Amino acid sequence: MFDIALDCSGIEAALAAAVHAVRPGGTLVVVGNPPQPGTTLPLAWMQRQEFSLVTAFRYAGEFPAAVSLAATGRVELESLITARFPLEHSADALRTALTDPAQLKVVIEPCPLGPLGPRGP
């Protein structure tokens, strides 16, 4: 069982699986937009588990425009980054992002690539 489960698919079977994957007292985050205006949720199960249900609306059609604005420099994003961590300190980065309210955007930097990729020569 998981402390937090996210459904980003909007598919009812995936949402049902996520509902049953959350531990009692955990959190289910629904991001995906279901193709139908309504969905069936096992409310009695959810109440017995006493977990939190959080919803978010994603703007799937907005992503290409946002990437274009950032890529062309029309939107400055660097100042939003408040901390950077190397890949080997990913756990510290996640802990910082979750516990320090002063952190707006925490970035995990990828490992530098050697001449033959991540494994080096």
Side-chain angles (χ1 to χ4, degrees), residues 49-92:
Q49 298 305 307
E50 293 185 328
F51 65 75
S52 299
L53 175 64
V54 178
T55 61
F57 186 76
R58 65 178 166 89
Y59 296 90
E62 306 300 327
F63 190 73
V67 169
S68 175
L69 288 169
T72 60
R74 292 177 53 203
V75 175
E76 191 279 316
L77 300 176
E78 192 65 29
S79 64
L80 299 177
I81 299 171
T82 53
R84 291 179 183 273
F85 290 82
L87 185 61
E88 62 268 18
H89 294 283
S90 296
D92 293 331

Side-chain angles (χ1 to χ4, degrees), residues 10-12 15 33-41:
I11 305 301
E12 191 155 350
L15 180 58
N33 295 323
Q36 304 297 328
T39 187
T40 303
L41 291 174

